[in-house]
Amino acid sequence: MDHQHFEKKLLNDEQLTAEENRALRSHLPDCPTCSALVETNLALKHVRMTAPAPGFANRFTARLAARRKAQKRRHFFGGIILLISGTGVLLWLASPLLTAAFSSPADILTTWVSFIVASLSFLQTFGEAGRVVLRVATGFIPAEVWAFSLTFLSILGMFILSFSQKLLVQKQPV
Ligand SMILES: [Zn+2]
């Protein structure tokens, strides 16, 4: 039995016969490579056999549950912030429409219907965008990213509303 034989067996972590074991023991003092391989195999076996600390599964489950709870809370507050900022932007953008409605009472009904339609489509789009963001934004997203996406959604909402306002203005009778 030569070095090649031991090296191959040790690299594959193969079971050695009693005779092979004896031969390896006499080979090891002369061969640093095989000694290193034996040490590595022993270390790997030791790592593999290490059992987790008692109660590890319970602690892990508890930590996971706590993290899920925190994630849910974050999503909840994120949704509220989205809703509030969305409503704020909507009201701010709708104020010209509201003023127009009160200054010309004859068009009040048409304007109101248009306003409601525009609001609904805006809210729908905003809600869909928010849902997508919430779905993508799993708990590990930092606050800066939340703020950024909020700003982005607000700008998106402004575009949508100003666009629908233009459409409404065009549709309204002169
Ligand atoms: Zn060797």
Side-chain angles (χ1 to χ4, degrees):
M1 269 172 267
D2 59 344
H3 166 75
Q4 289 290 319
H5 178 81
F6 292 126
E7 193 181 41
K8 184 172 159 278
K9 284 247 167 182
L10 288 169
L11 279 174
N12 295 325
D13 198 16
E14 282 174 36
Q15 195 75 43
L16 298 177
T17 64
E19 198 196 334
E20 278 175 327
N21 251 322
R22 261 198 306 277
L24 177 66
R25 258 199 290 274
S26 62
H27 171 70
L28 281 180
D30 307 323
C31 181
T33 310
C34 287
S35 302
L37 283 174
V38 167
E39 247 168 72
T40 310
N41 282 357
L42 280 175
L44 284 175
K45 264 177 204 147
H46 178 72
V47 168
R48 250 179 265 156
M49 280 174 358
T50 303
F56 170 76
N58 288 339
R59 281 199 301 279
F60 183 76
T61 316
R63 214 176 301 160
L64 200 69
R67 189 179 275 195
R68 284 220 183 105
K69 215 185 234 173
Q71 204 173 67
K72 250 184 213 164
R73 216 170 20 231
R74 258 200 299 270
H75 281 187
F76 177 70
F77 284 119
I80 284 185
I81 291 168
L82 276 176
L83 194 72
I84 290 172
S85 63
T87 314
V89 170
L90 181 71
L91 284 176
W92 177 60
L93 286 166
S95 51
L97 268 181
L98 288 171
T99 320
F102 288 118
S103 58
S104 54
D107 290 336
I108 208 162
L109 189 69
T110 337
T111 315
W112 256 113
V113 170
S114 312
F115 171 67
I116 287 165
V117 168
S119 308
L120 282 179
S121 67
F122 171 79
L123 279 178
Q124 200 185 3
T125 315
F126 198 84
E128 266 162 31
R131 256 204 304 280
V132 169
V133 168
L134 278 177
R135 206 172 333 147
V136 174
T138 40
F140 49 80
I141 291 198
E144 303 93 90
V145 180
W146 270 114
F148 174 76
S149 43
L150 216 63
T151 316
F152 175 74
L153 282 176
S154 304
I155 291 166
L156 186 76
M158 277 182 218
F159 271 117
I160 292 163
L161 210 83
S162 64
F163 181 68
S164 52
Q165 268 178 345
K166 262 179 213 152
L167 278 183
L168 288 178
V169 168
Q170 278 167 6
K171 267 183 205 159
Q172 267 168 10
V174 184

